[in-house]
Amino acid sequence: MSVGTTQTRQGLGGRLAALARIVELGPGKVEPKLLTDSGQLLLRAGDRLKLSSDHTVVALAGGTGSGKSTLFNSISGLELSPTGVRRPTTARTHACVWGLEGAGPLLDWLQIQWRHRFARASALDKGESQLHGLILLDLPDHDSIRALTDTEADRLIQVADLVVWVLDPQKYADASTHRRYVTDLAGHEAVTIFVLNQSDRLEAEELAECVADLDGLLRREGVENPIIVATSATTGRGVDSLKAVLAETVSKRRAAVQRLEADLDRLTIRLTKVMPDGGAPGAASSVDDARRIGLTDALCDAVGVPAVGEAMENVYGVRSIEWIGWPYARWAAKLRPDPLNSLRLSDLRDEIRGLAGDSISAQPAEVDNAVQALSDGLTSGMHEAWQNGIRDAARSRSAQLPQVLSEELSEIAPRLDRVPVWWRLLLVWQYLLILLFFAGVAWVGTAVLYGVVGVGKLPSGLAVFGETASLPWVALMMLSVLGLGLLTAVASRNFVVLGAGNERDRLEREMRRRVAGVAEGMVIEPVERELARYNEFYAAMRSMRG
């Protein structure tokens, strides 16, 4: 095999691999009939490329009465294929092989019966060596009334390396031939030959006119550069010219590859019509950060993350009053209804979890809208089939998404009944100040009773508590204690507000992290798999064009 042929086969292999990838990625995107035809071409190409590359399969095809079998016998130089008199029709395919070595498996694949195989030892036949490697088939008439032979002709026309259409001067424009076969040969000019047989029935001018008319007809039907050979199987005129054309094709050993390339070209045109790739936008194989953040933000809004954070912050502040507020204010508040009860937040943790769960279950439409917005942003300009595919991928788990989000957020619902250690220390400090204040009250009362009213005389060890001179200092101490308590309450309240804000930020960050994780696994990953399929599909389309 020549270097050029080897390179051609390698190029064909790459195109076939691309077609295989299209068949793998195409279900749901490409119509089933086209995928079926693609799969059949892959099977046919795989089988043909594994068989003898030194042989070229040439099929003589034609309608009843075209003289096809007579031409077959004329080329082979033997009476191999029977010809009819009253009703000339070939019932079974006959094969003549020039160079039998290695042709057996190929003939088996072609399903040629053993009794219809004939061999020409080209090395012993004078003048026939140039045809070494030729497998010439005489197909059943494609317009036969026998359904079996008609099907066999169709099958072999599809698998032959080169098809020679044998036409007669009277029926060369036959509509059934052109409609069923010729219109499918556009792009197959290199592996198709048209023979105008029985030319002995025409004068030279008539023959030239018929050839020109046939050429124009074929061009109008899409065969750009038809090869037309005029022959007469009965007189032998033009048969040598046809042999020369066949010999040239056989010597190049490229017909099998050219036929597969032509079939691929035609299939590529069909694929491009239903799935145009010229304007197909390039798509990233992953969802960009901006869209990830947008999806997370939208899902957080749908879930109610800001509402949960705000409720947590408010409840945190209300609960702190019980521990770090000014005790005198708390005592006064006892006379009013409990603010926690008015907020219906007696069980804070369950309340927050319920709030999160209710928000999710109540907003399925917003969850769906968030997913829809992501897919719409990614599919702009895509073919409708791929737009639908990416939308379906994004929504593949949307029914479970609200429930999963609810479960994730329930796991991190804050324990608002937890009391920080510094709250307890502040409570101890506040009560210590209260004790000092009441101690001062007791001191003032003792000084008034014993120093001013003179109800009696204190023991010598306690005499200092009855001296009126200590009253200004005790009053100053009491005022200092009250001021220190008030200052502590105000400062503590500021720390609580700051802490509540920090706790809210921490909670919302954690909730966003959980929401982003759920979005990644249930929305983004399926979308990215579909985006990868999209890019691989169009990469395969470009590779298939070669």
Side-chain angles (χ1 to χ4, degrees), residues 359-382:
S359 297
I360 295 171
S361 61
Q363 302 295 332
E366 291 191 19
V367 172
D368 189 66
N369 289 340
V371 175
Q372 183 70 31
L374 174 71
S375 61
D376 288 346
L378 292 169
T379 58
S380 177
M382 286 185 180

Side-chain angles (χ1 to χ4, degrees), residues 126-273:
K126 183 177 181 181
E128 296 293 318
S129 60
Q130 72 273 17
L131 294 177
H132 183 78
L134 171 64
I135 298 178
L136 186 64
L137 305 181
D138 180 20
L139 304 187
D141 305 324
H142 69 76
D143 57 356
S144 171
I145 61 173
R146 302 182 184 182
L148 176 63
T149 58
D150 194 46
T151 301
E152 183 175 358
D154 289 344
R155 177 180 63 82
L156 290 171
I157 288 170
Q158 292 296 321
V159 300
D161 301 333
L162 180 82
V163 178
V164 178
W165 284 100
V166 182
L167 308 172
D168 67 85
Q170 293 180 337
K171 296 191 297 182
Y172 68 83
D174 179 57
S176 65
T177 300
H178 289 264
R179 183 176 63 252
R180 291 180 58 187
Y181 301 105
V182 176
T183 55
D184 287 337
L185 294 175
H188 288 66
E189 292 88 346
V191 289
T192 306
I193 298 173
F194 297 92
V195 171
L196 189 60
N197 196 28
Q198 301 176 2
S199 61
D200 55 301
R201 298 182 180 181
L202 302 174
E203 298 295 333
E205 293 181 358
E206 294 175 329
L207 178 60
E209 183 178 347
C210 281
V211 170
D213 186 53
L214 176 60
D215 182 83
L217 176 63
L218 293 173
R219 291 179 184 274
R220 287 192 298 274
E221 292 180 340
V223 183
E224 294 183 358
N225 298 297
I227 300 174
I228 301 175
V229 180
T231 64
S232 173
T234 55
T235 65
R237 186 173 70 180
V239 174
D240 288 340
S241 298
L242 178 58
K243 282 186 176 182
V245 174
L246 296 179
E248 182 180 4
T249 300
V250 170
S251 65
K252 291 179 179 179
R253 303 288 192 266
R254 294 191 67 248
V257 173
Q258 286 178 318
R259 172 60 192 267
L260 293 175
E261 286 178 336
D263 290 342
L264 270 173
D265 291 341
R266 181 169 181 79
L267 193 59
T268 300
I269 294 173
R270 293 175 61 193
L271 280 168
T272 303
K273 286 181 179 179

Side-chain angles (χ1 to χ4, degrees), residues 443 446-448 450-451 458 462-471:
W443 191 331
T446 301
V448 170
Y450 287 93
L458 289 172
L462 300 175
V464 66
F465 293 105
E467 296 177 358
T468 57
S470 65
L471 287 177

Side-chain angles (χ1 to χ4, degrees), residues 4-72:
T5 303
T6 302
Q7 293 175 345
T8 301
R9 290 173 69 92
Q10 289 174 346
L12 176 62
R15 295 182 67 191
L16 290 172
L19 178 59
R21 192 63 179 143
I22 289 173
V23 171
E24 182 181 350
L25 298 172
K29 309 296 185 299
V30 180
E31 60 185 47
K33 175 64 167 62
L34 195 48
L35 290 178
T36 299
D37 292 346
S38 300
Q40 291 175 348
L41 176 56
L42 286 171
L43 290 175
R44 185 168 75 248
D47 291 341
R48 182 62 185 93
L49 292 175
K50 286 187 295 186
L51 297 170
S52 175
S53 60
D54 293 328
H55 288 85
T56 301
V57 179
V58 177
L60 295 181
T64 303
S66 63
K68 171 173 52 62
S69 296
T70 304
L71 184 62
F72 175 83

